[in-house]
Amino acid sequence: MRLSRYFLPVLKENPAEAQIVSHRLMLRAGMIKQSSAGIYSWLPLGYKVLRKIEEIVHQEQERVGHIPMLMPTLQSADLWKESGRYDAYGPEMLRIRDRQDRDMLYGPTNEEMITDIFRSHVGSYKDLPLTLYHIQWKFRDEIRPRFGVMRGREFLMKDGYNFDLTKEDALHAYNRHLVSYLRTYERMGLQAIPMRADSGPIGGDDTHEFLVLADTGESEVFYDSEITDLTFGNREIDPSDHDACRAVLDEFTSRYARTDETHDPELFAKVPEERQRTARGIEVGQIFYFGTKYSDAMNAKVQGPDGKQVPVHMGSHGIGVSRLLGAIIEASHDDKGIIWPEGVTPFHAGIVNLKQGDDEADAACEALYNSLKALGLDPLYDDRKGGAGMKFATMDLIGLPWRITVGPRGLKNGVVELTSRRTGESEDLPPEQAVEKIAKIYAGIV
Amino acid sequence: MRLSRYFLPVLKENPAEAQIVSHRLMLRAGMIKQSSAGIYSWLPLGYKVLRKIEEIVHQEQERVGHIPMLMPTLQSADLWKESGRYDAYGPEMLRIRDRQDRDMLYGPTNEEMITDIFRSHVGSYKDLPLTLYHIQWKFRDEIRPRFGVMRGREFLMKDGYNFDLTKEDALHAYNRHLVSYLRTYERMGLQAIPMRADSGPIGGDDTHEFLVLADTGESEVFYDSEITDLTFGNREIDPSDHDACRAVLDEFTSRYARTDETHDPELFAKVPEERQRTARGIEVGQIFYFGTKYSDAMNAKVQGPDGKQVPVHMGSHGIGVSRLLGAIIEASHDDKGIIWPEGVTPFHAGIVNLKQGDDEADAACEALYNSLKALGLDPLYDDRKGGAGMKFATMDLIGLPWRITVGPRGLKNGVVELTSRRTGESEDLPPEQAVEKIAKIYAGIV
């Protein structure tokens, strides 16, 4: 993309309404625009990152055999009356009446609807196990929306639902989700720590939240410092292997790690003192096993191997897709702006032309731009007339991990400058080597 | 995907509520499930086609330089009061009151919101031309929702908006949209004819609807039969070339083609009688030029080259993404089920194992499945235990364009059977040649 043809309305001033750095930077980098309280438009740069995150979530869900579908945003109140949650949910549920005076609502979650789909179509244990998921906009009418997309009212969430014959199978589905979530977050450059959590209005006993450590996190967290040494990496785990998934769960949840909701000071005291940590965290996902809570209430049964009708065991599993943009920025920025991890960056590299209009500089930039595109990469070329200061400031603000700077002086020596946004380190390289280096960095990511 | 692990709840019986064939087939093929009047869940097979259509729309929009973004589903009523449409829109607009008693609505279209974004960020003619678009769920509270996704209440639409300095530039944007739409529909296997239309509540004088001919279409259409001979094909049109885009408009709109809304019997009578056609059509898109209607009402101005503030010229351009599934099926089916065009098929080929459990047949199917996947193709392998009749009926119903049938008898002779869903023709081929043939068919599509 050429910046002169793009729509990137960066702001020079810090917007007054933004209290936390991710909100500030998303506004300043022209990623979002508030349309009403807690509701945002995703401007082109923000939308590009949102789509990348969505794509990673899809890929990792499909990798472990979960099946994508899509439920609508608006739901009939009837199903929620059946489960008993219509009255229980409170004022965060946006209730709507349509022109025929039917009670509707903007879905905050989909346990009822997916259970209804399941019971309409599945009758036998032979069709299990089954995990369906979707990525769809949700609405929670927060009394005090704030922190930009971190606590918006209209937000994008991946929610998945497993249906299993036995508790044991459903717990495997739980573990499999944990495995896939660890991989998902790491691909986005995040360390998200599974912590014992509270089940809230979803219900059930087994639940873990995934928290990204950040000073601005809403939750206070307590953990054993050994946990931050764990990485999932490129392990190949067979998603149908119960023991292998269970081993990952054990590895990542055996050390103390809890939010303030479930914190147990006595247990925490048993962690060696030098490893006790208190910090703040941002919740980016949660997994639940809740057994037959909804299948009992809504009569979702299958015929078991013995011919008897039994309620299915279920769980639900969420990733806060739009919220992740905020979380990534909270975890990865500096005074100048955002620093995107390679896995989610809106453009793979920026090209800065220091002397737009100079034939040689223009030609060198065009050549770099075309070489990167020919390799399947997506560069952003700052082809505006304007000073180096302004161009560097824009690139730093929007946080592309790699910048190629092209100017007449370097070109005389046959080189361009390749700069890492994260380290600030630069090196002079012939243009083709700069392209090659960038291609190597993104190999296996793009 | 192996069918035994997929969620494909096909129905044996014709659902009573479905009046038209696309609705019937989408229900029977397990593509959608109604959740409330005019609101559907997209089951895995339906969602897969929906995503493909969405992807084609994105690709063709980006090909001509339009910039993707995303606006929210819920809007504040304030902007609509500013444009004067809040009261004008009538009961099809779903009006909502949030917990703070603010007037909101579920967006049926986005002229107001995009104009607000534009005026907040763009101040100079130097930032023009600009075309922004999004693909987002909309809601129209139809009094009588029917025909499945063809006339649903919650529906997915691509809507794009151009901002230009002059009427001439805006008309070029109009023509450019026409060019890109022709290509978009053809990639989906559709002939969509641009017809002079009525502007309705959007406003403006210049507008064309794109209609797919089908007996079940809602509109009566009148046209010169020569128009159905036109195809866009693989033309390379430079989207910035005013004359080239204009020439396409002229070519595709100079012959008589109108819906009942704009039909002019006197003009139609001038078409040679043997070329006069009356038929029914399904609207799958519409383009508008409406000048400064919204920019005047909402004060969206830029500074022109002479330093003066001028309102921008705008247009809006829509594609009915979810409705397209219905339109494609209406245009492409037979008594046995759907016939997907290759460009949008949910799976590229089906593999039918006539003797599941037979070592040789199972191994041959696995090999075919893996070969197709290795080529980047997406096969559906019917690995269920069950008779040939049931398996063929399922494949015919869900409409995959190519089927490979594997059975012990053929394997003895070293062949499998490759069948075209459209023509019904079959040929016996060694497995590797069947794979090669399928790969060739999809080259340039996948």
Side-chain angles (χ1 to χ4, degrees), chain B residues 249-270:
Chain B
L249 176 95
D250 288 342
E251 179 185 350
F252 280 82
T253 64
S254 58
R255 292 173 189 78
Y256 191 92
R258 295 195 178 188
T259 66
D260 39 13
E261 284 174 348
T262 55
H263 181 49
D264 178 339
E266 264 179 62
L267 260 181
F268 190 49
K270 294 184 186 153

Side-chain angles (χ1 to χ4, degrees), chain A residues 42 70 73 99 106 141 154, chain B residues 42 70 73 99 141 154:
Chain A
W42 296 79
L70 188 63
T73 60
R99 74 192 285 185
Y106 200 121
D141 203 355
E154 187 170 328
Chain B
W42 296 79
L70 189 63
T73 61
R99 73 191 287 186
D141 203 355
E154 187 171 328

